[in-house]
Amino acid sequence: MGSFKDIERRRKGAKSSYRDPKKHYVRLNGWLPVFEEYFKLRNGQPHYLTLCAKDAIDVRYFRQKGLLPYDSEQKAYPTVAFIEKDAQDYASIAEGLGTTKLAIRGDLEEILIRPEDNLENSERLRGSFPYDVVNLDFTGQVVREDDPPYSQTIRAIERIIEFQAAAGCTKWHMFLTFRACPQTSNHEADDELRTIIEGNLQNADAQAAYGTRLRPDQLVHEQYEEFLRVGITKFLAFSSPSRGYACTLASSYSYPRNPDVGPRYHIIKLIVEFEAIRSVRNLPNPHQVRTAYEKSVQQIFRSHVVDVSTKLDNAEVRRALTDDLQPVLDELEQQKIIE
Amino acid sequence: MASDKFPIDVAASVIADISSGIYRTPAGAVKELVSNAFDADAETVRVSTNGPHFSTFTCTDDGSGLTPERFKEIMGLIGGSSKRDRGETSPIFGRPLIGRIGIGILSIGQICSSFEIFSSAKGSKTKFRARIDLAPYMRPEARRMQLGNRLKPDEKVRVGEYEIEEAEEDIDKHYTRVVMEKINPGFQKQLRSRPMVELGVTPKTFKKGDMKAFLASVSKDTVAEHGAYAQLIWELAVTTPVRYFPQGPVRDTPTLDDLRKRLAGYKFQVFLDGVELLKPILLPAAPSVIHKVYPDLDFRTKVSSARELKVRGYLYWQNTRILPRELQGILVRVRNVGIGAFDPTYLGYPKHEGWKFSQMCGELYVDEGLDEAINIDRASFRETDDAYLALQEFLFQRLGKETDQGAGVFTNIKAISGEIAQRKRNREAAKRVKRSAEAIYGTARSIELKVTEGRTSGGVKVTPHIIRVDKDLLQDIPERHRDLFIGVCGVIEKSLGSMLSASKRRSLLERLARLFSAQ
């Protein structure tokens, strides 16, 4: 655990980003349509697991859009679950939202990877599945420098896929946000991802889908955010079929960040759809698994990232985003959440 | 002969015991955190309980906050200094300070064994995080070690340890946040309890979304049967110095405006899991309920040369049972904070007053003189304390004694109840007369039922607005049947008058009178 000074510095930095129009562009254009879909599919009761951060803007936003049920008589979000590592931010969220389906103060990765050390939280989390949308905004890197390539974050994501399958969820979405920073990346993991992509390109169909992109060994150096977008999504595509799901990259977004201190990096946001290819009680079928994987790989290779910065060059778009987010900011202001 | 003097010592375990549990209910412990915020001039306090799991509690206030130095001072010797060393009121809002002996922080020890405090003081560029661990000192073996330890003069008893770190903060930010984890299993169990389920009864649901809805949903029965969480809301709302409903505690009573204004003037809001707490007292529950307010339970007396007791209060009575049951009784507030719950015995009123107790409630705001009588749990009083005894005597006098200024409250209630009963009887009589008129004349016209002093031939006379019956026919008929008898006589006269002779009618009425008198 970092020192208090580091934590505070990070919290202050993160605070300003929650209200960033770039971030809201993805909420509006990427996340909102997914919520609309599940709102219809689940008769107005979509279940949502989020690492929502201090202001819980996503939760408030979807509620204001009428897509998340809110019981004003009980001041409760009956289908929302949140997990927050930081004690202060946990308090802000819990005090601001009122009662939720599940609220856990703890580290999601720790809870999922080391359940024996987090017995109560682990049981509560596991018992709360399935969810229609799982929003994993890790703010950091999927594979940190000090992690092995098969990192704790990746294993946590896999555990979530397993829990969804065990709970019998047939269709769901994951919103995955992470940082792409070549200077602080885990080179061992990058090498492994590159090798896997190169392996995929042995297949003619996959190569056709890959198109005119730079070769993986060039991509990792020259367009690291694109390399990681493809690499991480492809890892999900590989990991999902053996856990019972076919995975599709519905959309993806990227925008740069220039912090005051430290190197420049990109934020990558993936919207990934999971559809069951077998029931949890059936044996995995290797042929089915391979087909699903190959199909996903081609779909990922064909996909293109949305460059959010370019979209925001348009003043009209910027104004629309500000107007769309304003009611949430007004609510936060009105609620006077302390600190 | 001179005698030797021997010291009387306290074992360290006593201090340790006090530190780990002095509050009777979960609300009692949370109330102390809220009181600390009130004393710190906070305008808003937000408490989250993580219900229904109750695995993490948080309490955040926007009060003046603490500097790391002040925090270390407090933790260095809990109970060693009082907020009131620096005056009796809070510096910004001039609120009367609640905390007296500086042990409020120990309330957290009852909720959990480890917690974090984050705070930033107004005007300071520093915030701090303190991690407090009481667990090693709460284990039974640690207690046993302290069991026989004698304390040396000026020796302190360790009840926990903390580590503190500092970071930068905006100079204008001020707050205190407590995050409590490893919640004590007993505390969790109590909050999760659903007594009605355990009794095999479908639990009552309650609305917690706003206090009016909450009050409406618990006002049909008791708060307790809605479970411990409902009780937590109730107790916190009742005891903390939050404001009343705009119409509370009793509707349309300008004489209680000062109490409403007093609490509203503190500008103090408490939110529990997103719900703003207001005092759940809004009487009468329905406009049709007959009620009376005794708004002037004001009292001032010198208990000793240095101690004056100052009380402002009211009593309320209604002609039906007050619900929820938890609202029946008297609540003593010391410096605006409720001590314990509404006391249905009225501080031990010695005479049994039966149903009246269930129809009354009241609050006594004691602004001065009673602090020293409060037990360490802040939920009860030392009943032998002079000020408490003076308060008790004052209340008993107001309730029961006939004085030059008028009858005691109970006598007054009895008189009002008598009047109400009489009015009810009159209303019922009027209804009977109307029914008689309907039977006799076909319309519910206004008629009089009268007694004829003399004796008529037939025994009854019916004119357009009066039915008269001979007095002798009525003499054996019970009072409660007389109107009915006169009505029946009217029907007989009206329907059979032209068909029967006077003597036959008379005979019929006499037999009818015998029948009525036999009832």
Side-chain angles (χ1 to χ4, degrees):
Chain A
M1 187 176 287
S3 78
F4 186 47
K5 276 184 184 150
D6 293 340
I7 292 171
E8 282 304 299
R9 210 172 293 128
R10 203 164 52 235
R11 286 180 76 235
K12 284 206 162 70
K15 191 184 168 189
S16 56
S17 79
Y18 303 142
R19 298 160 189 222
D20 185 344
K22 293 191 199 91
K23 202 162 183 134
H24 193 60
Y25 180 89
V26 183
R27 281 191 205 109
L28 175 64
N29 296 287
W31 295 356
L32 195 66
V34 175
F35 259 86
E36 282 165 343
E37 183 188 340
Y38 284 103
F39 185 79
K40 283 184 201 140
L41 207 61
R42 307 286 185 236
N43 295 321
Q45 301 285 316
H47 283 244
Y48 182 44
L49 171 65
T50 176
L51 306 178
C52 56
K54 189 180 166 179
D55 291 338
I57 288 182
D58 55 344
V59 176
R60 295 171 195 274
Y61 179 64
F62 296 132
R63 193 210 71 232
Q64 285 193 358
K65 293 287 177 189
L67 301 173
L68 262 183
Y70 179 67
D71 183 342
S72 58
E73 277 189 351
Q74 302 291 342
K75 289 275 190 288
Y77 289 86
T79 63
V80 171
F82 76 89
I83 299 168
E84 174 56 56
K85 184 163 54 175
D86 183 84
Q88 296 176 87
D89 290 349
Y90 170 87
S92 287
I93 301 165
E95 289 162 8
L97 294 185
T99 304
T100 51
K101 171 182 169 172
L102 181 77
I104 292 179
R105 193 251 152 149
D107 184 331
L108 176 68
E109 293 173 14
E110 288 289 326
I111 293 167
L112 290 167
I113 304 303
R114 277 182 268 284
E116 64 283 2
D117 298 337
N118 299 275
L119 272 180
E120 194 188 337
N121 284 339
S122 173
E123 274 173 30
R124 284 172 56 207
L125 177 61
R126 189 172 189 149
S128 71
F129 278 81
Y131 291 95
D132 299 307
V133 179
V134 177
N135 190 345
L136 303 176
D137 188 341
F138 286 114
T139 63
Q141 299 183 124
V142 175
V143 187
R144 288 179 289 268
E145 267 178 301
D146 53 349
D147 260 353
Y150 189 29
S151 72
Q152 185 154 300
T153 307
I154 287 177
R155 282 186 291 147
I157 293 170
E158 286 184 331
R159 194 58 57 84
I160 285 173
I161 301 171
E162 284 163 17
F163 285 176
Q164 288 283 69
C169 189
T170 52
K171 177 181 159 68
W172 59 286
H173 271 72
M174 180 188 285
F175 302 160
L176 185 60
T177 303
F178 55 89
R179 199 182 277 204
C181 178
Q183 286 86 343
T184 58
S185 72
N186 183 316
H187 298 303
E188 198 186 343
D190 291 343
D191 283 345
E192 287 190 18
L193 282 177
R194 181 180 49 76
T195 312
I196 296 170
I197 297 172
E198 283 167 351
N200 292 132
L201 292 178
Q202 303 300 315
N203 177 304
D205 290 339
Q207 197 170 31
Y210 190 78
T212 56
R213 275 190 191 89
L214 294 171
R215 287 198 326 266
D217 59 330
Q218 293 171 314
L219 197 64
V220 68
H221 296 298
E222 312 219 350
Q223 222 183 326
Y224 184 68
E225 66 279 11
E226 175 63 0
F227 169 78
L228 211 57
R229 180 185 79 89
V230 172
I232 295 294
T233 320
K234 234 184 47 54
F235 183 82
L236 290 176
F238 170 74
S239 192
S240 313
S242 60
R243 290 172 172 82
Y245 290 105
C247 142
T248 312
L249 179 61
S251 56
S252 55
Y253 302 83
S254 164
Y255 50 86
R257 286 245 187 258
N258 297 297
D260 296 336
V261 186
R264 185 174 182 266
Y265 60 89
H266 274 81
I267 291 289
I268 311 288
K269 286 180 174 281
L270 308 178
I271 297 178
V272 185
E273 183 181 356
F274 293 84
E275 260 187 293
I277 51 174
R278 67 172 168 88
S279 155
V280 67
R281 51 192 296 279
N282 298 128
L283 281 170
N285 176 334
H287 173 71
Q288 196 183 35
V289 167
R290 197 169 48 248
T291 310
Y293 173 58
E294 284 170 0
K295 202 172 152 199
S296 294
V297 169
Q298 288 173 38
Q299 191 266 336
I300 292 161
F301 281 169
R302 270 196 297 272
S303 73
H304 294 284
V305 71
V306 176
D307 180 355
V308 180
S309 301
T310 317
K311 300 283 179 188
L312 261 63
D313 285 345
N314 184 326
E316 195 69 24
V317 172
R318 279 201 309 274
R319 194 171 322 113
L321 285 172
T322 311
D323 291 349
D324 191 53
L325 184 61
Q326 197 53 47
V328 177
L329 301 183
D330 291 345
E331 181 181 305
L332 280 165
E333 183 67 31
Q334 202 181 3
Q335 213 181 13
K336 286 193 272 178
I337 297 297
I338 304 160
E339 203 263 316
Chain B
M1 195 176 85
S3 61
D4 291 333
K5 285 192 176 172
F6 298 96
I8 301 168
D9 294 334
V10 172
S13 63
V14 174
I15 309 293
D17 270 339
I18 288 171
S19 311
S20 63
I22 46 179
Y23 303 102
R24 287 202 286 201
T25 60
V30 178
K31 182 181 86 176
E32 289 308 304
L33 291 175
V34 175
S35 296
N36 278 348
F38 183 82
D39 286 351
D41 279 321
E43 290 183 78
T44 308
V45 183
R46 290 184 182 273
V47 179
S48 78
T49 66
N50 188 242
H53 307 286
F54 305 107
S55 55
T56 306
F57 269 61
T58 73
C59 179
T60 307
D61 71 70
D62 60 356
S64 48
L66 292 167
T67 60
E69 294 72 32
R70 177 68 187 137
F71 177 77
K72 287 173 193 167
E73 213 177 287
I74 294 169
M75 297 306 274
L77 189 60
I78 290 171
S81 70
S82 167
K83 293 173 198 166
R84 294 197 215 164
D85 294 345
R86 279 165 278 173
E88 287 286 310
T89 53
S90 69
I92 299 171
F93 293 117
R95 297 168 180 166
L97 294 177
I98 300 164
R100 194 168 64 92
I101 54 174
I103 60 163
I105 194 92
L106 290 180
S107 64
I108 308 171
Q110 190 155 346
I111 301 173
C112 62
S113 54
S114 84
F115 55 98
E116 289 177 82
I117 295 183
F118 302 86
S119 191
S120 173
K122 202 167 197 168
S124 166
K125 285 182 181 169
T126 318
K127 72 184 285 186
F128 71 87
R129 173 181 73 184
R131 289 193 167 130
I132 295 110
D133 193 7
L134 307 176
Y137 298 87
M138 292 170 99
R139 286 198 292 266
E141 59 271 23
R143 294 279 185 81
R144 273 198 298 277
M145 278 176 68
Q146 290 174 323
L147 199 61
N149 281 358
R150 275 173 193 282
L151 293 179
K152 297 182 189 84
D154 299 327
E155 191 187 352
K156 300 171 189 175
V157 175
R158 184 165 296 179
V159 296
E161 285 170 344
Y162 70 94
E163 53 183 57
I164 188 164
E165 281 183 90
E166 294 175 24
E168 279 178 19
E169 184 55 286
D170 300 342
I171 198 159
D172 57 338
K173 286 208 168 181
H174 51 97
Y175 54 86
T176 300
R177 168 167 276 161
V178 186
V179 180
M180 294 158 266
E181 291 182 288
K182 293 185 192 163
I183 305 296
N184 291 343
F187 195 87
Q188 277 179 325
K189 194 175 167 192
Q190 199 176 357
L191 279 171
R192 288 172 185 163
S193 76
R194 301 173 80 192
M196 298 310 281
V197 178
E198 283 142 32
L199 290 172
V201 179
T202 309
K204 306 260 181 174
T205 52
F206 68 94
K207 295 173 184 171
K208 74 175 173 77
D210 74 79
M211 284 307 286
K212 231 174 194 167
F214 172 77
L215 187 58
S217 58
V218 297
S219 281
K220 292 178 185 76
D221 22 56
T222 67
V223 179
E225 65 189 278
H226 292 270
Y229 184 71
Q231 270 185 296
L232 175 72
I233 298 176
W234 174 266
E235 283 183 44
L236 270 184
V238 159
T239 56
T240 54
V242 294
R243 63 190 170 91
Y244 290 103
F245 288 110
Q247 281 283 301
V250 184
R251 297 173 205 270
D252 306 318
T253 45
T255 44
L256 298 181
D257 275 351
D258 62 319
L259 294 180
R260 272 188 285 272
K261 280 181 190 159
R262 167 203 289 232
L263 291 173
Y266 294 142
K267 294 180 181 148
F268 187 61
Q269 289 179 294
V270 178
F271 293 85
L272 177 69
D273 291 328
V275 180
E276 187 186 355
L277 301 181
L278 299 177
K279 290 223 175 319
I281 311 170
L282 189 56
L283 297 162
S288 59
V289 173
I290 296 166
H291 63 278
K292 183 165 180 180
V293 183
Y294 302 89
D296 54 350
L297 264 71
D298 302 347
F299 175 58
R300 210 170 180 147
T301 188
K302 269 218 170 320
V303 181
S304 66
S305 58
R307 205 169 161 201
E308 190 180 33
L309 184 66
K310 194 177 157 197
V311 183
R312 161 81 184 100
Y314 72 93
L315 278 170
Y316 167 89
W317 167 85
Q318 65 181 37
N319 70 329
T320 56
R321 215 153 49 103
I322 290 176
L323 288 173
R325 198 180 59 199
E326 285 83 351
L327 198 52
Q328 296 169 12
I330 191 105
L331 180 69
V332 180
R333 296 186 184 281
V334 174
R335 292 172 174 260
N336 305 300
V337 174
I339 304 301
F342 280 86
D343 173 7
T345 73
Y346 288 83
L347 312 186
Y349 186 73
K351 194 163 170 268
H352 179 62
E353 289 289 349
W355 48 266
K356 292 192 205 80
F357 278 146
S358 68
Q359 298 181 339
M360 287 172 61
C361 76
E363 292 176 275
L364 295 174
Y365 283 78
V366 183
D367 295 324
E368 282 173 34
L370 204 58
D371 298 69
E372 287 158 41
I374 303 171
N375 281 325
I376 198 163
D377 64 0
R378 295 195 65 87
S380 58
F381 292 100
R382 269 190 302 118
E383 295 182 11
T384 51
D385 180 88
D386 286 342
Y388 181 82
L389 290 170
L391 179 70
Q392 197 182 38
E393 190 189 342
F394 161 69
L395 182 65
F396 290 177
Q397 296 267 337
R398 285 305 311 268
L399 287 172
K401 196 170 178 184
E402 312 296 319
T403 64
D404 293 344
Q405 284 79 42
V409 171
F410 283 134
T411 309
N412 188 259
I413 289 172
K414 206 170 161 188
I416 301 171
S417 301
E419 281 168 26
I420 291 169
Q422 186 55 50
R423 280 207 296 273
K424 192 179 169 194
R425 282 196 293 275
N426 292 346
R427 272 199 309 276
E428 281 166 2
K431 274 186 198 162
R432 280 198 298 273
V433 169
K434 272 194 166 180
R435 280 199 297 273
S436 300
E438 222 163 44
I440 298 162
Y441 301 106
T443 55
R445 69 169 80 171
S446 166
I447 59 165
E448 280 183 78
L449 306 178
K450 283 200 166 176
V451 179
T452 308
E453 283 300 322
R455 193 175 162 151
T456 57
S457 54
V460 59
K461 261 189 180 172
V462 176
T463 55
H465 293 289
I466 305 170
I467 304 166
R468 291 175 194 274
V469 174
D470 289 357
K471 194 176 179 180
D472 64 320
L473 285 171
L474 288 163
Q475 65 194 6
D476 293 329
I477 296 176
E479 182 71 39
R480 64 182 189 281
H481 294 323
R482 282 191 176 182
D483 289 350
L484 179 62
F485 178 73
I486 297 173
V488 173
C489 292
V491 174
I492 290 170
E493 179 65 19
K494 189 85 174 154
S495 2
L496 305 174
S498 55
M499 297 191 289
L500 297 172
S501 66
S503 61
K504 279 195 173 164
R505 292 199 318 264
R506 175 88 205 178
S507 159
L508 181 63
L509 294 182
E510 281 170 358
R511 273 182 282 163
L512 194 63
R514 282 203 295 279
L515 184 66
F516 266 79
S517 59
Q519 297 305 306

